Amino acid sequence: MLAPMVSAASYPLLVPDEPGEVPRELRAGPVTAELHGANLRRVRLGGVELVQRVYVAVRDEVWNTIPARVANLRIDASPDRFSVSFEAHHLYEAIDFRWTGSIVGAPDGRITYAMDGVAGQPFRYAKIGFNVHHASGSCVGRRYTARTPGGDSSDVFPVEIDPQRVVDGRLTALSPPFDRLAIELDDGLEVQLGFEGDLFELQDHRNWTDGNYKSYGTPIAEPWPFDAATGQRLQQRVSIFFAAAELPAAPREELGVELGRPLGLPLPPLGLCVASDGAALSDRERRLLSVLGPDHVRADLAPGEPSFSDELRSAVETSEALSAPLELALFLGEEAEAELATVADALGSLDARLARVLVLAAESGFTVVSGCTPGGLVRLARERLRPLTGDVPFAGGTDRFFAELNRDRPEVEAMDAVVYSINPQVHAADSLSLVENLEAQADTVRTARSFSGDLPILVGPVTLAARAGPYPAGPPEPGALPPRVDVRQASLLAAGWTLGSVKHLAESGVSAATYYETTGWLGVVERDEGPPRPELFPSRPGDVYPLYHVFADLADCKQGDLVDARSSDPLAVEALAVRSGEALRVLLANLTPRRRSVSLAGLPAGRVRVRILDEETGALAVADPERFRSSGREVEAPDGTLVLDLGRYAVARVDAGP
């Protein structure tokens, strides 16, 4: 029986409200910028981005980022200049910091952002001050010159991700401390930045899959936490200017995706994590998930926990229900020998089909040790379990950030594969930051391959929210959603973000990727009984989430090969193309909160079939996925070009050929 028709208004999660989502456009002579709350973003000269983002960050002593409440925002803008003023207040536990902000844009293109703040009470903190993001796509391989206390220092932004190492107990930076920075962005174009109130230095933010290099105040080598006294004043200023032989051309008005040559890469195996609530799949959930054809299911288990055997049995049941081999992630503590004996006993009583074993070091339970799995631990696990697992690969790595793997390089001789997890919210949680941080996922794979040789690179879990602190908004307040839960999991944005993630990981040649969970508010399908907190996460019992359809569309292309799909503006639209025989499938996502027209070129001339997932069709898509998946319309693309009108955060599927 078909599910009843429902309206988009009855499913508010399709495009959840996000304060400050719509930016204010500003102009300083030839330079344009966007104001998002107190954040200055996308500072551009013509089609070249001078700076990705400028903002003030307040981080407590354990590096939680405490958000600001912005008040009394005043904007005075004209066609060639602007001035902005506001008040900001960061308040969480002991942190009480207020500051006034001033952003001024002049007709010659100079922009100055000043912060004048005061501590309201004594507190300890790790960082307070400006951060400036330099987009990795604009800066990678480009030369920069920093004015340091010892004179000018020049280098180039690294292509491979520069590790943040620990030397003599102190973290290292990408550059020496400076108060001026000049970056050669293009032939004859240089962006110049001045810093007052502190010395700044550079960091390769891609270690945490942020899509940028970052300039930040107070050198990281200085021991933290710092102590702020009541009434203590902190002042900083950042100025942005440029030098250009001639002004770069204006950016293209229209958005476009150009299909090109085959990339010679297959779509990698894609898997899901077993639901962390431990509940068995219902028949309906099993049927829905089987449509996705997951290549594996991952179970994160700690053999030292009393519930291990029951959790392993449940994971094997999920594996069997979905006809997908089990990716067994073992978190081993100090009693590894005894824990592996427990694993062997449990596996011996089960008929488990394994894809691989991930060996991860933990202090106890799931408290993951920083750094990479010791090679000896992987060898020990292989030796003890190989009689039961057969020739499945044993991987090592980290369940934390890529930074851990990059800092503490793996002993590759001991491993059959390397694994690490990623999420886009280590430093910021707004939707634009999620989109900006897609591209860096591919950089992590390429960098991992540089020190892992020919070993397979496994990425997972890929999650929308941070799975382990620090959290961009600090720990949750009483009654709030758990930090691992993001209401956008059930949104159109998550569908587009997932598409972009699969694209970048697949095109980088990742060996396999694991996403989200099977069911629940961390998964792809809502539980039959609905979410635990419907007043905060108002999904409906039994619905699928929009991102479900991305995986379903990719499931039909498992034997296909990737085709180059180049976007004119990857922060606005992304595309993934797969060819299987004569059939071509293209998935496109509008990654912005406004309607966009997108030109798709390079299709075979003739008729193509189009299906769009948006606010109008989304209610049907989540309530009756089978009927939605059979919908669509045929249109002509006589010259191989198709123009699509995509609503905010819409995802389109285009099929050409048989």
Side-chain angles (χ1 to χ4, degrees):
M1 187 164 101
L2 293 178
M5 289 294 291
V6 289
S7 68
S10 68
Y11 195 72
L13 290 182
L14 287 175
V15 185
D17 292 334
E18 183 170 338
E21 183 77 24
V22 179
R24 174 68 182 267
E25 295 185 359
L26 303 171
R27 180 175 290 275
V31 176
T32 60
E34 295 178 0
L35 183 68
H36 295 243
N39 291 256
L40 195 66
R41 308 185 80 144
R42 307 198 78 176
V43 181
R44 293 187 165 198
L45 180 66
V48 179
E49 190 165 73
L50 301 178
V51 167
Q52 185 185 77
R53 183 183 181 195
V54 186
Y55 62 104
V56 171
V58 175
R59 297 191 167 104
D60 67 15
E61 60 181 311
V62 293
W63 291 95
N64 288 306
T65 301
I66 312 305
R69 294 173 180 163
V70 177
N72 298 324
L73 176 66
R74 297 180 178 86
I75 302 174
D76 182 11
S78 65
D80 67 346
R81 69 186 69 204
F82 65 86
S83 65
V84 177
S85 64
F86 55 87
E87 298 168 359
H89 188 196
H90 304 256
L91 182 64
Y92 178 76
E93 294 185 339
I95 299 289
D96 183 358
F97 184 72
R98 296 178 183 271
W99 56 281
T100 58
S102 170
I103 312 175
V104 177
D108 62 358
R110 183 182 299 274
I111 296 177
T112 304
Y113 193 160
M115 178 268 283
D116 187 351
V118 64
Q121 64 183 19
F123 60 81
R124 310 196 88 187
Y125 66 96
K127 288 285 180 188
I128 294 179
F130 277 113
N131 289 312
V132 180
H133 290 181
H134 315 281
S136 55
S138 301
C139 295
V140 65
R142 296 288 182 178
R143 178 164 294 279
Y144 66 86
T145 300
R147 188 175 73 182
T148 79
D152 286 352
S153 174
S154 292
D155 208 335
V156 297
F157 286 102
V159 176
E160 294 174 0
I161 301 173
D162 188 75
Q164 187 192 51
R165 300 192 187 279
V166 179
V167 178
D168 297 330
R170 295 187 177 185
L171 292 171
T172 60
L174 180 61
S175 71
F178 54 77
D179 64 3
R180 289 185 65 84
L181 182 69
I183 304 170
E184 299 174 7
L185 291 177
D186 213 338
D187 293 338
L189 173 61
E190 180 180 83
V191 60
Q192 303 169 350
L193 299 106
F195 303 90
E196 301 174 44
D198 204 344
L199 286 175
F200 281 63
E201 61 190 11
L202 283 168
Q203 178 184 73
D204 198 330
H205 232 193
R206 298 175 297 167
N207 276 293
W208 298 270
T209 60
D210 294 68
N212 54 73
Y213 308 93
K214 182 176 74 173
S215 292
Y216 58 91
T218 310
I220 196 72
E222 293 191 23
W224 76 85
F226 304 100
D227 290 296
T230 302
Q232 181 176 339
R233 197 171 181 185
L234 293 173
Q235 295 175 298
Q236 289 184 8
R237 183 187 303 268
V238 174
S239 62
I240 306 167
F241 197 52
F242 69 90
E246 58 182 59
L247 296 183
R252 289 173 49 181
E253 288 289 334
E254 67 280 357
L255 284 176
V257 171
E258 180 77 29
L259 302 180
R261 59 181 179 80
L263 295 177
L265 292 169
L267 191 68
L270 301 175
L272 298 168
C273 290
V274 172
S276 54
D277 63 13
L281 296 176
S282 70
D283 288 342
R284 184 198 64 87
E285 292 162 356
R286 179 190 56 78
R287 288 194 301 271
L288 287 170
L289 292 167
S290 294
V291 172
L292 308 185
D295 293 293
H296 58 271
V297 290
R298 169 171 164 162
D300 290 1
L301 303 176
E305 297 295 316
S307 58
F308 168 75
S309 295
D310 291 339
E311 291 177 356
L312 177 59
R313 184 178 302 277
S314 176
V316 171
E317 291 173 355
T318 299
S319 167
E320 293 173 347
L322 298 179
S323 300
L326 182 65
E327 182 177 77
L328 181 57
L330 297 175
F331 291 75
L332 301 176
E334 295 180 356
E335 303 297 327
E337 284 273 13
E339 293 169 0
L340 288 169
T342 300
V343 176
D345 288 343
L347 285 175
S349 65
L350 297 170
D351 184 19
R353 184 163 65 101
L354 298 180
R356 62 191 67 90
V357 177
L358 313 180
V359 184
L360 300 164
E363 295 172 0
S364 63
F366 290 97
T367 304
V368 181
V369 176
S370 296
C372 186
T373 313
L377 193 60
V378 179
R379 291 189 182 95
L380 178 65
R382 184 190 293 109
E383 179 183 331
R384 297 293 186 267
L385 300 180
R386 178 56 56 84
L388 292 159
T389 64
D391 293 331
V392 303
F394 279 71
T398 180
D399 193 53
R400 291 176 64 84
F401 316 115
F402 176 77
E404 305 290 342
L405 190 77
N406 203 23
R407 178 185 297 127
D408 182 19
R409 300 288 175 86
E411 185 186 343
V412 295
E413 296 79 10
M415 303 173 184
D416 303 316
V418 171
V419 63
Y420 57 94
S421 66
I422 58 178
N423 78 84
Q425 294 193 50
V426 178
H427 295 107
D430 62 280
S431 296
L432 179 54
S433 290
L434 267 62
V435 173
E436 289 173 345
N437 295 347
L438 281 168
E439 185 179 8
Q441 295 185 20
D443 292 332
T444 65
V445 176
R446 287 188 283 265
T447 302
R449 183 166 291 109
S450 72
F451 55 74
S452 299
D454 295 329
L455 289 186
I457 306 299
L458 313 172
V459 176
V462 180
T463 55
L464 197 64
R467 297 166 55 247
Y471 302 108
E477 297 179 359
L481 287 172
R484 297 175 62 192
V485 178
D486 190 321
V487 72
R488 291 170 294 186
Q489 183 84 11
S491 73
L492 289 167
L493 168 64
W497 188 89
T498 300
L499 170 59
S501 173
V502 174
K503 170 195 173 65
H504 287 287
L505 290 178
E507 292 183 358
S508 69
V510 74
S511 300
T514 307
Y515 284 82
Y516 312 126
E517 294 184 0
T518 50
T519 56
W521 55 14
L522 298 174
V524 299
V525 173
E526 184 53 272
R527 284 290 194 184
D528 289 349
E529 60 272 20
R533 300 289 303 278
E535 74 280 9
L536 297 178
F537 195 102
S539 61
R540 292 190 304 260
D543 280 347
V544 305
Y545 299 148
L547 55 79
Y548 171 93
H549 292 286
V550 173
F551 290 115
D553 288 337
L554 294 174
D556 297 340
C557 308
K558 286 188 181 295
Q559 306 306 316
D561 294 317
L562 299 172
V563 175
D564 187 33
R566 194 72 53 87
S567 171
S568 62
D569 185 355
L571 296 184
V573 62
E574 271 291 18
L576 171 65
V578 184
R579 182 179 294 280
S580 182
E582 296 181 9
L584 174 68
R585 175 164 298 170
V586 185
L587 303 181
L588 301 95
N590 175 8
L591 299 174
T592 73
R594 62 188 181 93
R595 183 170 291 275
R596 308 299 294 265
S597 177
V598 181
S599 172
L600 174 61
L603 293 166
R607 295 183 70 80
V608 298
R609 186 167 184 81
V610 178
R611 192 197 67 213
I612 295 179
L613 174 59
D614 60 12
E615 290 177 88
E616 294 181 3
T617 62
L620 174 65
V622 299
D624 191 349
E626 184 177 355
R627 188 161 74 178
F628 168 74
R629 296 193 57 71
S630 64
S631 66
R633 58 191 174 91
E634 289 192 356
V635 298
E636 288 288 344
D639 58 352
T641 298
L642 181 68
V643 177
L644 295 166
D645 181 38
L646 299 180
R648 51 183 185 161
Y649 297 125
V651 177
R653 165 178 153 176
V654 179
D655 287 294

